[in-house]
Amino acid sequence: MNYSDTATEDAILLAVQHVLAGDKEAFRKIVETYKDSLYRYCLTRIGNEERAKDLVQEIFIRAYRSLPTFKLGRQFGPWIFTIASNVLRSSWRRTTREQAMTSHLFYPEDPEQENPENNMLQRETQREVVRALRNLPHELYEVLYLYYFEGLSVSEIAKTLELEEENIKSRLFRGRKKLRKILQPETPKKGIIG
């Protein structure tokens, strides 16, 4: 699509004005114009169709919320692709943190160890880890989340939650242990009969 096309740009700018005036339905014109291009952009960057669709939805949500900051004299295409780039960067950072957490949970002695089995396990369990986190008690969830997903240190978490560092370390230990139990339930050990 050629975003410098005057007719397309004029139609988009008119839609933006309508949305800003309260006509939420006018946003459909923006979605219809950019959805395919944004999808291709995301897909080529991440290579996963479902994730690309999710990211496009996130881009449109952010664009809608940021629309009041759009300057009507600018071109809309570059503006929405800047949002797309930011969403992709955030997604990449989030995925990297999830992979680091998964690696640490399953291979705490050597989280940087590179081998195909580790990489496959990380990809397969990433979503499970995030879902499992939600099943933890709040005090364990918040510490694990702040540590792995927000990248805060133990001392920063202690300051944020107004707790002692030893308490944070204890919660990290207990949280990891519970998370491992959720993700890798113990299988019955074979005895003489089994």
Side-chain angles (χ1 to χ4, degrees):
M1 170 182 276
N2 181 3
Y3 297 114
S4 61
D5 174 31
T6 308
T8 302
E9 188 65 25
D10 290 345
I12 291 299
L13 293 177
L14 186 60
V16 168
Q17 289 174 340
H18 283 276
V19 173
L20 292 174
D23 179 9
K24 294 178 182 177
E25 286 298 312
F27 196 72
R28 285 181 195 254
K29 173 67 177 167
I30 296 168
V31 171
E32 289 302 315
T33 303
Y34 290 99
K35 70 179 181 182
D36 293 336
S37 298
L38 289 170
Y39 173 74
R40 284 189 303 275
Y41 180 64
C42 292
L43 185 61
T44 57
R45 296 280 298 271
I46 61 168
N48 179 303
E49 292 179 12
E50 288 305 311
R51 187 69 187 124
K53 289 176 187 175
D54 291 344
L55 289 172
V56 170
Q57 287 182 345
E58 189 175 336
I59 292 164
F60 282 124
I61 290 168
R62 285 199 195 175
Y64 184 82
R65 289 179 181 158
S66 301
L67 216 48
T69 66
F70 176 72
K71 294 184 177 108
L72 289 172
R74 295 177 55 195
Q75 284 192 313
F76 192 82
W79 182 79
I80 199 163
F81 274 89
T82 299
I83 291 172
S85 293
N86 291 335
V87 167
L88 282 164
R89 266 194 296 281
S90 295
S91 173
W92 180 83
R93 283 192 299 267
R94 192 168 48 240
T95 301
T96 302
R97 285 191 294 258
E98 289 171 3
Q99 287 174 340
M101 181 178 180
T102 303
S103 179
H104 183 76
L105 286 168
F106 291 104
Y107 304 99
E109 65 282 347
D110 190 4
E112 299 300 318
Q113 182 181 359
E114 279 293 321
N115 74 44
E117 185 180 330
N118 287 3
N119 294 337
M120 185 179 76
L121 180 61
Q122 288 175 3
R123 284 191 306 272
E124 289 175 0
T125 60
Q126 249 174 352
R127 287 188 183 131
E128 290 177 36
V129 169
V130 174
R131 275 190 231 113
L133 267 175
R134 293 184 187 125
N135 292 321
L136 293 177
H138 180 72
E139 70 274 3
L140 300 179
Y141 168 83
E142 69 183 347
V143 171
L144 286 171
Y145 182 84
L146 291 172
Y147 187 79
Y148 288 106
F149 292 89
E150 294 303 321
L152 298 181
S153 68
V154 169
S155 62
E156 290 169 328
I157 297 170
K159 288 176 189 169
T160 302
L161 300 179
E162 298 177 348
L163 297 168
E164 297 294 321
E165 285 187 29
E166 288 306 312
N167 192 311
I168 300 303
K169 288 177 186 175
S170 172
R171 288 184 185 190
L172 278 171
F173 176 79
R174 288 183 301 140
R176 289 179 191 129
K177 189 174 178 181
K178 280 188 181 259
L179 202 52
R180 272 191 215 105
K181 209 172 228 182
I182 292 169
L183 293 168
Q184 290 182 330
E186 289 185 33
T187 55
K189 295 181 180 169
K190 292 186 177 182
I192 298 172
I193 300 172

